[in-house]
């Protein structure tokens, strides 16, 4: 795995974790009882992107380390997940 593919893997993991973290501890304007005119009652009352990004990074980096370490160690290869046997083993010619 090269540096660019490592960064792409981190970006994908970070995005997935971010969407998981977004609704955690969410207090809506309807729950707070302070609905701003022109917004939905389900809008966040006090959204802190910095806090959500920090929490996402704290979870995404260790997950990335485990996945990248597994890929780099060779414990799992592409041929291991070839369930339909579409990747043939290269034939060795014996001349």
């Amino acid at each position: 795995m090269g540096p660019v593919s490592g960064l792409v893997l981190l970006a994908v993991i970070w995005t997935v974790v971010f969407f998981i973290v977004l609704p955690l501890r969410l207090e809506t304007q309807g729950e707070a009882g302070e609905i701003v005119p022109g917004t939905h009652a389900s809008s966040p009352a006090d959204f802190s992107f910095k806090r959500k990004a920090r929490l996402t990074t704290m979870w995404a980096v260790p997950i990335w380390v485990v996945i990248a370490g597994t890929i780099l160690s060779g414990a799992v290869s592409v041929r291991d997940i070839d369930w339909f046997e579409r990747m043939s083993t290269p034939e060795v010619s014996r001349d």
Side-chain angles (χ1 to χ4, degrees):
M1 176 169 57
V4 174
S5 56
L7 288 174
V8 169
L9 179 63
L10 178 61
V12 169
I13 292 170
W14 194 93
T15 304
V16 170
V17 172
F18 184 69
F19 282 120
I20 293 170
V21 166
L22 268 178
L24 298 178
R25 295 185 179 180
L26 175 69
E27 183 181 8
T28 63
Q29 292 180 9
E31 293 170 348
E34 302 170 3
I35 301 175
V36 176
T39 62
H40 292 279
S42 60
S43 299
D46 59 337
F47 180 72
S48 174
F49 180 77
K50 189 183 270 187
R51 184 178 66 205
K52 296 286 185 176
R54 191 178 320 121
L55 184 61
T56 299
T57 304
M58 287 175 26
W59 279 97
V61 169
I63 292 170
W64 175 77
V65 166
V66 168
I67 293 173
T70 303
I71 292 170
L72 290 174
S73 72
V76 178
S77 69
V78 175
R79 293 191 190 278
D80 291 335
I81 57 174
D82 181 25
W83 297 316
F84 300 111
E85 298 180 12
R86 293 182 181 167
M87 300 177 88
S88 62
T89 308
E91 296 293 325
V92 177
S93 62
R94 297 182 184 206
D95 294 335

